[in-house]
């Protein structure tokens, strides 16, 4: 299973022109696609969202705890397939964006935490979606304080070791 997956990812990377040393250079681990997805409803763009079945109760609990403190956490994105990540790259490449520039903002297919269904992109009403300015919101302040109580951690803090953009909106559940 894992060898088949590794080969599939390697093939996709070759096709997209992603350097073979990518994962090592960026200190990124292969992320496996979630096999027990559950639909969560719709996101703020009216798209269907799914997440890992094990994470759903934790998300619901954190969301309602935040609400209890007057903070509304909204889901922007959760599970994304390898195929979806690949299509994202192709769309940008077709628009003339270089692979090096795409890799500054997007994890390569196979290395996005969203494959696991355990990473959530969050926002709050009145905040600009997936923008660094989310760090100035009360929702972010709440997450900094309480997300850990629900086993969510911010994967890509400022100056992270993966050379990925600072993503104050991206929180991953670590099942204990
Ligand atoms: Zn994310």
């Amino acid at each position: 299973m894992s060898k088949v997956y590794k080969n599939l990812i390697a093939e996709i990377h070759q096709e997209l022109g992603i350097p073979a040393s990518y994962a090592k250079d960026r200190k990124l681990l292969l992320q496996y696609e979630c096999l027990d997805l559950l639909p969560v409803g719709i996101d703020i763009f009216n798209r269907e969202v799914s997440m890992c079945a094990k994470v759903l109760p934790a998300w619901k609990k954190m969301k309602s705890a935040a609400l209890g403190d007057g903070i509304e956490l909204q889901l922007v994105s959760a599970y994304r397939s390898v195929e979806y990540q690949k299509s994202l790259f192709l769309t940008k490449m077709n628009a003339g964006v270089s692979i090096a520039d795409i890799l500054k903002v997007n994890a390569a297919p196979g290395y996005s935490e969203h494959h696991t269904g355990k990473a959530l992109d969050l926002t709050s009403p009145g905040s600009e979606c997936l923008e660094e300015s989310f760090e100035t919101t009360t929702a972010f302040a709440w997450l900094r304080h309480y997300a850990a109580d629900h086993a969510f951690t911010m994967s890509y803090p400022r100056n992270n070791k993966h050379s990925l953009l600072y993503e104050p909106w991206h929180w991953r559940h670590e099942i204990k």
Side-chain angles (χ1 to χ4, degrees):
M1 174 67 194
S2 84
K3 200 179 171 199
V4 172
Y5 187 69
K6 269 181 203 160
N7 289 341
L8 170 79
I9 299 302
E11 269 173 39
I12 293 174
H13 283 206
Q14 211 166 18
E15 191 187 330
L16 296 175
I18 294 168
S21 61
Y22 169 78
K24 203 173 160 231
D25 292 349
R26 298 296 196 95
K27 302 181 179 69
L28 286 167
L29 295 172
L30 199 62
Q31 304 289 325
Y32 289 87
E33 284 186 317
C34 177
L35 298 174
D36 57 349
L37 283 173
L38 273 183
V40 191
I42 53 158
D43 66 13
I44 56 160
F45 301 113
N46 279 328
R47 298 173 305 192
E48 293 281 338
V49 201
S50 306
M51 69 176 69
C52 171
K54 291 190 202 104
V55 172
L56 186 55
W59 159 239
K60 282 184 173 166
K61 236 176 128 182
M62 182 165 81
K63 197 181 165 179
S64 76
L67 211 55
D69 292 335
I71 306 287
E72 190 184 341
L73 297 176
Q74 297 171 304
L75 202 54
V76 183
S77 176
Y79 169 75
R80 283 184 232 140
S81 67
V82 168
E83 265 313 302
Y84 179 87
Q85 197 74 1
K86 181 183 165 186
S87 71
L88 208 68
F89 272 64
L90 288 174
T91 304
K92 288 191 177 184
M93 285 163 79
N94 290 336
V97 187
S98 74
I99 196 75
D101 281 344
I102 303 171
L103 289 172
K104 283 178 195 161
V105 289
N106 293 109
Y111 293 88
S112 168
E113 290 187 342
H114 287 284
H115 298 333
T116 65
K118 295 172 188 167
L120 312 180
D121 289 340
L122 303 175
T123 190
S124 58
S127 151
E128 255 193 285
C129 220
L130 309 186
E131 291 291 340
E132 202 177 294
S133 59
F134 180 63
E135 73 171 350
T136 64
T137 63
T138 49
F140 180 72
W142 190 93
L143 285 164
R144 283 299 293 259
H145 245 94
Y146 300 110
D149 295 347
H150 302 275
F152 282 93
T153 52
M154 187 172 40
S155 303
Y156 310 118
R158 200 171 257 123
N159 304 319
N160 61 75
K161 64 176 178 180
H162 310 297
S163 309
L164 274 163
L165 214 66
Y166 170 45
E167 293 193 359
W169 59 84
H170 179 109
W171 295 79
R172 181 193 174 125
H173 189 258
E174 304 291 343
I175 294 162
K176 281 172 187 166

